[in-house]
Coordinates of all heavy atoms in Angstrom, one line a residue:
K1 N 17.5 86.0 26.8 CA 18.9 86.3 26.7 C 19.6 86.0 28.2 O 20.7 85.4 28.2 CB 19.3 87.7 26.3 CG 20.7 88.0 26.3 CD 21.0 89.5 25.7 CE 22.5 89.6 25.4 NZ 23.4 89.2 26.6
E2 N 18.8 86.3 29.2 CA 19.3 86.0 30.6 C 19.6 84.5 30.8 O 20.5 84.1 31.3 CB 18.3 86.6 31.6 CG 18.3 88.1 31.6 CD 17.3 88.8 30.7 OE1 16.9 88.1 29.7 OE2 17.0 89.9 30.9
F3 N 18.6 83.8 30.2 CA 18.7 82.3 30.3 C 19.9 81.8 29.6 O 20.5 81.0 30.0 CB 17.3 81.7 29.8 CG 17.2 80.3 30.0 CD1 17.8 79.6 31.0 CD2 16.3 79.5 29.3 CE1 17.7 78.2 31.3 CE2 16.0 78.1 29.6 CZ 16.7 77.5 30.5
M4 N 20.0 82.3 28.3 CA 21.2 81.9 27.5 C 22.5 82.2 28.3 O 23.3 81.3 28.4 CB 21.2 82.6 26.2 CG 22.4 82.3 25.3 SD 22.3 80.8 24.4 CE 21.3 81.3 22.9
D5 N 22.6 83.4 28.8 CA 23.8 83.8 29.5 C 24.0 82.9 30.7 O 25.2 82.5 31.0 CB 23.7 85.2 29.9 CG 23.7 86.2 28.8 OD1 24.1 85.8 27.8 OD2 23.2 87.4 28.9
E6 N 23.1 82.5 31.5 CA 23.2 81.6 32.6 C 23.6 80.3 32.3 O 24.5 79.7 32.9 CB 21.8 81.5 33.4 CG 21.5 82.8 34.2 CD 20.2 82.6 34.9 OE1 20.2 82.0 35.9 OE2 19.1 83.1 34.4
L7 N 23.1 79.7 31.1 CA 23.5 78.4 30.8 C 24.9 78.3 30.2 O 25.6 77.4 30.4 CB 22.5 77.9 29.6 CG 21.1 77.5 30.1 CD1 20.2 77.1 28.9 CD2 21.1 76.5 31.2
Y8 N 25.2 79.4 29.5 CA 26.6 79.5 28.9 C 27.6 79.6 30.0 O 28.7 79.0 30.1 CB 26.8 80.6 28.0 CG 28.0 80.5 27.1 CD1 28.1 79.7 26.1 CD2 29.0 81.3 27.5 CE1 29.2 79.6 25.3 CE2 30.2 81.3 26.6 CZ 30.3 80.5 25.6 OH 31.4 80.4 24.9
E9 N 27.3 80.5 31.0 CA 28.2 80.5 32.1 C 28.4 79.2 32.9 O 29.5 78.9 33.2 CB 27.7 81.6 33.1 CG 28.5 81.8 34.2 CD 28.0 82.9 35.3 OE1 26.8 83.3 35.0 OE2 28.6 83.2 36.3
L10 N 27.3 78.5 33.0 CA 27.4 77.2 33.8 C 28.2 76.2 32.9 O 29.0 75.5 33.4 CB 25.9 76.7 33.9 CG 25.8 75.3 34.6 CD1 26.4 75.4 36.0 CD2 24.3 74.9 34.7
A11 N 28.1 76.2 31.5 CA 28.8 75.4 30.7 C 30.2 75.7 30.8 O 31.1 74.8 30.9 CB 28.3 75.5 29.3
E12 N 30.7 76.9 30.8 CA 31.9 77.4 30.9 C 32.6 76.9 32.2 O 33.9 76.6 32.2 CB 32.1 79.0 30.8 CG 32.0 79.4 29.3 CD 33.1 79.3 28.6 OE1 33.4 78.1 28.0 OE2 33.9 80.2 28.3
K13 N 31.8 76.9 33.3 CA 32.4 76.5 34.6 C 32.8 75.1 34.6 O 33.6 74.7 35.5 CB 31.3 76.8 35.7 CG 31.2 78.2 36.0 CD 30.1 78.4 37.2 CE 30.0 79.9 37.5 NZ 29.0 80.1 38.6
Q14 N 32.3 74.3 33.7 CA 32.6 72.9 33.7 C 34.0 72.6 33.1 O 34.5 71.5 33.2 CB 31.6 72.1 32.8 CG 30.1 72.3 33.2 CD 29.9 72.1 34.6 OE1 30.2 71.1 35.2 NE2 29.1 73.1 35.2
K15 N 34.5 73.6 32.4 CA 35.9 73.6 31.9 C 36.1 72.3 31.0 O 37.1 71.7 31.0 CB 36.9 73.6 33.0 CG 36.9 74.8 33.9 CD 38.0 74.9 34.8 CE 37.9 76.1 35.7 NZ 37.8 77.4 35.0
W16 N 35.1 72.0 30.0 CA 35.3 71.0 29.2 C 36.4 71.3 28.2 O 36.5 72.4 27.7 CB 34.0 70.6 28.5 CG 32.8 70.2 29.3 CD1 33.0 69.3 30.3 CD2 31.4 70.6 29.4 NE1 31.8 69.1 31.0 CE2 30.8 69.8 30.4 CE3 30.8 71.6 28.7 CZ2 29.5 70.1 30.7 CZ3 29.4 71.7 28.9 CH2 28.8 70.9 29.9
K17 N 37.1 70.2 27.7 CA 38.1 70.4 26.7 C 38.0 69.5 25.6 O 38.8 69.5 24.7 CB 39.6 70.1 27.4 CG 39.9 71.1 28.7 CD 40.0 72.5 28.3 CE 40.4 73.4 29.5 NZ 40.5 74.8 29.1
D18 N 37.0 68.7 25.6 CA 36.8 67.7 24.5 C 36.5 68.5 23.2 O 35.9 69.6 23.2 CB 35.8 66.7 24.9 CG 34.4 67.3 25.1 OD1 34.3 68.0 26.3 OD2 33.6 67.4 24.3
G19 N 36.8 67.7 22.0 CA 36.5 68.4 20.7 C 35.1 68.6 20.5 O 34.7 69.6 19.8
K20 N 34.1 67.8 21.0 CA 32.7 68.0 20.8 C 32.2 69.3 21.3 O 31.5 70.1 20.8 CB 31.9 66.9 21.3 CG 30.4 66.8 21.0 CD 29.7 65.6 21.5 CE 28.3 65.7 21.2 NZ 27.5 64.4 21.5
W21 N 32.7 69.6 22.6 CA 32.3 70.9 23.3 C 32.9 72.1 22.5 O 32.3 73.1 22.3 CB 32.6 70.9 24.7 CG 32.5 72.2 25.3 CD1 33.5 73.0 25.8 CD2 31.3 73.1 25.4 NE1 33.1 74.3 26.2 CE2 31.7 74.3 26.0 CE3 30.0 72.9 25.1 CZ2 30.8 75.4 26.2 CZ3 29.2 73.9 25.3 CH2 29.6 75.2 25.9
I22 N 34.2 72.0 22.2 CA 34.9 73.0 21.5 C 34.2 73.4 20.2 O 34.1 74.6 19.9 CB 36.3 72.7 21.2 CG1 37.2 72.6 22.7 CG2 37.1 73.6 20.3 CD1 38.5 72.1 22.5
K23 N 33.7 72.3 19.4 CA 33.1 72.6 18.2 C 31.7 73.3 18.5 O 31.3 74.3 17.9 CB 32.9 71.3 17.5 CG 32.2 71.5 16.1 CD 32.1 70.2 15.4 CE 31.4 70.3 14.0 NZ 31.3 69.1 13.4
A24 N 31.0 72.9 19.6 CA 29.7 73.4 19.9 C 29.9 74.9 20.4 O 29.1 75.8 20.2 CB 29.1 72.7 21.1
K25 N 31.0 75.0 21.2 CA 31.3 76.4 21.7 C 31.5 77.5 20.5 O 31.1 78.7 20.5 CB 32.5 76.4 22.6 CG 32.9 77.7 23.3 CD 34.0 77.6 24.3 CE 34.4 79.0 24.8 NZ 35.5 78.7 25.8
E26 N 32.3 77.0 19.5 CA 32.5 77.8 18.4 C 31.2 78.3 17.7 O 31.1 79.4 17.1 CB 33.3 77.1 17.4 CG 34.8 77.0 17.8 CD 35.6 76.2 16.8 OE1 35.0 75.5 15.9 OE2 36.9 76.0 17.1
L27 N 30.2 77.5 17.7 CA 28.9 77.8 17.1 C 28.0 78.7 18.2 O 27.5 79.7 17.6 CB 28.2 76.5 17.0 CG 26.6 76.6 16.5 CD1 26.5 77.0 15.1 CD2 25.9 75.2 16.7
L28 N 28.2 78.3 19.3 CA 27.3 79.1 20.4 C 27.9 80.4 20.8 O 27.2 81.3 21.1 CB 27.1 78.2 21.6 CG 26.3 76.9 21.4 CD1 26.5 76.0 22.5 CD2 24.8 77.3 21.2
Q29 N 29.2 80.4 20.9 CA 29.7 81.8 21.5 C 29.4 83.1 20.8 O 29.0 84.1 21.5 CB 31.3 81.7 21.5 CG 32.0 82.8 22.3 CD 33.5 82.5 22.5 OE1 34.2 82.3 21.5 NE2 33.9 82.6 23.7
P30 N 29.4 83.1 19.5 CA 29.0 84.4 18.8 C 27.5 84.7 19.1 O 27.2 85.8 19.1 CB 29.2 84.1 17.3 CG 30.3 83.1 17.3 CD 29.9 82.1 18.5
I31 N 26.7 83.7 19.2 CA 25.3 83.9 19.4 C 25.1 84.5 21.0 O 24.4 85.3 21.1 CB 24.5 82.6 19.5 CG1 24.8 81.9 18.1 CG2 23.1 82.8 19.6 CD1 24.3 82.7 16.9
V32 N 25.9 83.8 21.9 CA 25.8 84.3 23.3 C 26.3 85.8 23.4 O 25.6 86.6 24.0 CB 26.5 83.4 24.2 CG1 26.6 83.9 25.6 CG2 26.0 82.0 24.1
L33 N 27.4 86.0 22.8 CA 28.1 87.3 22.9 C 27.5 88.3 21.9 O 28.0 89.4 21.9 CB 29.6 87.1 22.7 CG 30.3 86.2 23.7 CD1 31.8 86.2 23.3 CD2 30.1 86.6 25.1
Q34 N 26.7 87.9 21.0 CA 26.1 88.7 20.0 C 27.1 89.4 19.1 O 27.1 90.5 18.7 CB 25.2 89.8 20.6 CG 24.0 89.2 21.3 CD 22.9 88.7 20.4 OE1 22.2 89.5 19.8 NE2 23.0 87.4 20.2
E35 N 28.0 88.6 18.6 CA 29.2 89.0 17.9 C 28.8 88.9 16.4 O 28.0 88.1 16.0 CB 30.5 88.3 18.2 CG 31.0 88.6 19.6 CD 32.2 87.6 19.9 OE1 32.4 86.6 19.1 OE2 33.0 88.0 20.7
N36 N 29.5 89.6 15.6 CA 29.3 89.4 14.1 C 29.9 88.1 13.6 O 30.9 87.6 14.0 CB 30.1 90.5 13.4 CG 29.5 90.7 12.0 OD1 28.8 90.1 11.4 ND2 29.9 91.9 11.4
I37 N 29.2 87.4 12.7 CA 29.6 86.2 12.1 C 29.7 86.5 10.6 O 28.7 86.5 9.9 CB 28.6 84.9 12.4 CG1 28.4 84.8 13.9 CG2 29.2 83.7 11.7 CD1 27.4 83.7 14.2
E38 N 30.9 86.5 10.2 CA 31.1 86.7 8.7 C 30.1 87.7 8.1 O 29.6 87.5 7.0 CB 30.8 85.3 7.9 CG 31.9 84.2 8.4 CD 31.6 82.9 7.7 OE1 30.7 82.8 6.9 OE2 32.5 82.1 7.7
N39 N 30.1 88.9 8.8 CA 29.3 90.1 8.3 C 27.8 89.7 8.2 O 27.1 90.4 7.4 CB 29.9 90.4 6.8 CG 29.8 91.9 6.8 OD1 30.0 92.7 7.7 ND2 29.8 92.4 5.5
T40 N 27.4 88.8 9.0 CA 25.9 88.5 9.0 C 25.4 88.8 10.4 O 26.0 88.5 11.4 CB 25.7 87.0 8.7 OG1 26.2 86.7 7.5 CG2 24.2 86.6 8.9

């Protein structure tokens, strides 16, 4: 989890705005933040 948090923080610092990253971020963010995904 610490590794995941570090990598995600580094990715966020890049301030990417392209569609490919935005789509990947939508997939990764709930995993990183441990949020609920559609009640799963």
